Amino acid sequence: MRDLIIVGSGPGGYVAAIRAAQLGLSVTLVERNGLGGICLNWGCIPSKALLRNAEVLELIHGADRFGITTGEVTADFGAAIDRSREVVRRLRLGVQSLLNGNGVEVIPDTATLTGPGTVGLTGRDERLQAKHILVAVGARPRPLPDVPIVPGRVVTSREALEERDLPASVLILGGGAIGCEFATIWRAYGVDVTIVDVAPVLLPAEDPACSEALAEALHQRGITIRTSTAMQGLHVESDHVRVDLHGPAGDETVRVERVLVAVGSTPNSDQVGADAHHLTDRKGFIRTDAQHRTGMPGIWAIGDVAGPLLLAHVASEQGIQAVETMAGHATTPLDYVMMPRATYSHPEVASLGMTEPQARETRRPIVVGTFPLQANARALALGDASGFVKVVANGDTGELLGVHMVGHGVSELLGEPLLGITLETSLDEVERTVHPHPTLSEAFKEAALLALGRPVHLPPRALQRQTG
Ligand SMILES: Cc1cc2nc3c(=O)[nH]c(=O)nc-3n(C[C@H](O)[C@H](O)[C@H](O)COP(=O)(O)OP(=O)(O)OC[C@H]3O[C@@H](n4cnc5c(N)ncnc54)[C@H](O)[C@@H]3O)c2cc1C
């Protein structure tokens, strides 16, 4: 009997398969669609490729700021979609070759849980057996009740990532990461974009300073933001979609060419029969313990189908932890507060750890330092100095509790505070690090210096403003 069957080859499943094979387990991976899951095929990767197109276009449109005159610029959105699909194709080949190289058997099929240690395969009318089964079937865009998908008119991210034509106007339902990223892409291509959310702010899980700065930056790019606003009705007409909204100013009807529904995700537990085995909670997520065991012996679950944080790197880390536990290794439960999070809008938002309000709720003494990128040499040289790096730390010990950033490319700055927090680094230790100049990473050190009350690159009056 094989050791392990993994259902689903997203960043949870395929990474778990490779690690399990490295640990000497015999592994079969069942995948009904493209290797790499939603992340690689219809999520993280194609959206980031399109965001790069948007960035290039924004640079060209703003070239005069650099003393560069361009002629008439034409931007072919279909070509952008093609480029994103090519990036996906190359990465998918990479996953395929990694799985082959590690001796993982891949079966293209749909699997269903049939009991402890067995899964049924739809295409082969066959059952597979293993000592362990790891369910990594992910999630799909959550539909809104009574709002069917109408290609070209009412879409989710899945359709939006392959539609080659651009609408003149789009209303995005949902001001989370996916909504803000699509707003960035479409706005760069000249689309009239409105974001609607019932929450009072964009990215409500982020530090309030990040939500506010992002809303301001998107507004400056010409994106309309309607928070605290509920969609009351949606009607697809012949050449537009009519959307009834209720917000702080009362009722209003908006007409747009396209609506993007980006209101969250529904776990695919029903697509693998986990619900039939009563393994799920009220929202359909598979319930697991800290080591990813479900309520059924030998069945494990990771990634978006299990939650709690629906992110690719979380799925991968959970997958590694699950198979290491199966192989008899001791593992430490993941700390979900300390998981890095990024929204790749322009500007980007990147964070980890506690927000300032969360840190204050702990009733510990807290110090905060917020360093504006306007005072960072590299950001000014890049011509994109909006945003900041904010550090939240324990006021007694200087221990880093959270880092929150807004700005050009700040997702790439997460690595340093991530390592710092993992190693329980204090502000004093950050102060002793030497950062290359000129880099955006200096803003992290400056934010730490601000929290310590001794910034180098801000005048004393800025310190007084921050400490209040
Ligand atoms: C537009 C968009 C952008 C995103 N951007 C980011 C980002 O920038 N960063 C980030 O961290 N996260 C991002 N995410 C979230 C990220 O894609 C998910 O967190 C991640 O894909 C979860 O990985 P997973 O392995 O749990 O599942 P998935 O990647 O969803 O993979 C599950 C796989 O299981 C397969 N499957 C399902 N049922 C069966 C079955 N019964 N039998 C066989 N196979 C089955 C599916 O076909 C799929 O391939 C984004 C999501 C979207 C939609």
Side-chain angles (χ1 to χ4, degrees):
M1 196 196 307
R2 59 174 73 68
D3 294 312
L4 172 62
I5 297 168
I6 299 177
V7 187
S9 73
Y14 91 77
V15 169
I18 292 170
R19 183 74 186 116
Q22 288 169 345
L23 291 168
L25 305 188
S26 52
V27 189
T28 296
L29 179 62
V30 186
E31 170 55 62
R32 65 179 183 188
N33 282 322
L35 286 178
I38 291 298
C39 172
L40 200 164
N41 294 284
W42 303 108
C44 325
I45 303 304
S47 58
K48 270 66 240 176
L50 291 175
L51 280 157
R52 173 67 176 151
N53 266 68
E55 186 179 359
V56 171
L57 194 52
E58 282 172 3
L59 266 178
I60 294 171
H61 283 313
D64 54 340
R65 288 192 301 122
F66 296 86
I68 298 168
T69 309
T70 53
E72 193 188 334
V73 178
T74 51
D76 175 356
F77 193 66
I81 293 283
D82 291 343
R83 196 183 82 83
S84 75
R85 300 319 304 165
E86 175 56 17
V87 174
V88 167
R89 190 189 67 79
R90 285 184 59 172
L91 284 168
R92 211 166 39 215
L93 286 176
V95 171
Q96 171 86 65
S97 104
L98 286 171
L99 292 169
N100 290 348
N102 281 283
V104 175
E105 178 192 26
V106 178
I107 300 181
D109 210 329
T110 300
T112 309
L113 289 174
T114 44
T118 62
V119 297
L121 293 182
T122 312
R124 299 186 178 195
D125 196 16
E126 185 188 338
R127 282 190 183 192
L128 299 180
Q129 278 197 317
K131 286 186 207 141
H132 304 280
I133 293 169
L134 179 63
V135 181
V137 294
R140 56 189 183 274
R142 181 153 66 85
L144 281 171
D146 305 322
V147 179
I149 297 306
V150 181
R153 288 270 175 260
V154 182
V155 299
T156 67
S157 57
R158 174 68 179 77
E159 293 77 30
L161 285 169
E162 59 182 342
E163 288 191 345
R164 302 168 59 83
D165 65 317
L166 279 173
S169 55
V170 64
L171 185 141
I172 298 175
L173 288 171
I178 293 175
C180 292
E181 290 182 8
F182 273 101
T184 299
I185 295 165
W186 281 324
R187 185 65 200 135
Y189 278 82
V191 176
D192 186 356
V193 178
T194 303
I195 303 177
V196 170
D197 204 305
V198 281
V201 292
L202 300 178
L203 306 182
E206 295 295 344
D207 190 279
C210 293
S211 300
E212 197 182 316
L214 178 65
E216 176 57 26
L218 295 184
H219 172 71
Q220 279 181 9
R221 279 159 202 260
I223 294 170
T224 305
I225 297 166
R226 292 180 188 223
T227 44
S228 303
T229 300
M231 193 272 290
Q232 309 252 298
L234 187 152
H235 315 272
V236 180
E237 313 281 356
S238 59
D239 61 349
H240 67 270
V241 187
R242 189 161 51 86
V243 190
D244 300 326
L245 302 173
H246 179 77
D251 290 339
E252 189 188 352
T253 296
V254 175
R255 286 176 177 73
V256 285
E257 269 190 39
R258 193 172 295 169
V259 169
L260 172 73
V261 181
V263 293
S265 300
T266 299
N268 286 334
S269 49
D270 54 338
Q271 323 233 320
V272 70
D275 50 344
H277 291 285
H278 310 294
L279 300 180
T280 51
D281 67 13
R282 218 167 24 87
K283 291 183 173 167
F285 289 100
I286 299 182
R287 289 185 308 263
T288 64
D289 67 11
Q291 259 76 31
H292 317 291
R293 295 178 194 88
T294 70
M296 192 187 284
I299 311 276
W300 310 63
I302 54 152
D304 281 10
V305 76
L309 257 186
L310 277 54
L311 291 170
H313 43 283
V314 173
S316 298
E317 220 42 52
Q318 290 178 333
I320 289 171
Q321 203 179 50
V323 298
E324 287 186 347
T325 310
M326 286 172 207
H329 292 251
T331 58
T332 314
L334 295 173
D335 180 348
Y336 291 98
V337 176
M338 290 306 173
M339 287 294 159
R341 308 172 288 261
T343 299
Y344 299 81
S345 46
H346 301 166
E348 292 184 352
V349 177
S351 64
L352 80 155
M354 282 187 245
T355 63
E356 185 179 343
Q358 285 167 344
R360 294 207 181 278
E361 268 171 31
T362 64
R363 305 203 170 275
R364 280 180 275 202
I366 299 299
V367 287
V368 173
T370 304
F371 187 78
L373 291 178
Q374 286 289 350
N376 175 273
R378 185 67 186 279
L380 286 168
L382 284 168
D384 194 346
S386 69
F388 57 81
V389 175
K390 173 174 178 175
V391 162
V392 180
N394 183 314
D396 286 338
T397 62
E399 183 195 351
L400 279 172
L401 301 174
V403 177
H404 308 277
M405 304 183 275
V406 176
H408 172 87
V410 290
S411 58
E412 294 295 345
L413 300 187
L414 272 173
E416 183 183 4
L418 185 57
L419 192 61
I421 286 185
T422 308
L423 300 177
E424 297 176 4
T425 303
S426 69
L427 295 174
D428 294 317
E429 288 164 326
V430 175
E431 185 180 25
R432 287 200 296 275
T433 57
V434 180
H435 286 69
H437 178 72
T439 58
L440 296 176
S441 73
E442 289 172 291
F444 171 58
K445 175 169 173 175
E446 286 285 352
L449 290 175
L450 255 170
L452 286 167
R454 37 182 185 267
V456 173
H457 288 97
L458 277 186
R461 65 175 186 283
L463 180 63
Q464 279 159 16
R465 271 205 303 272
Q466 294 216 9
T467 51

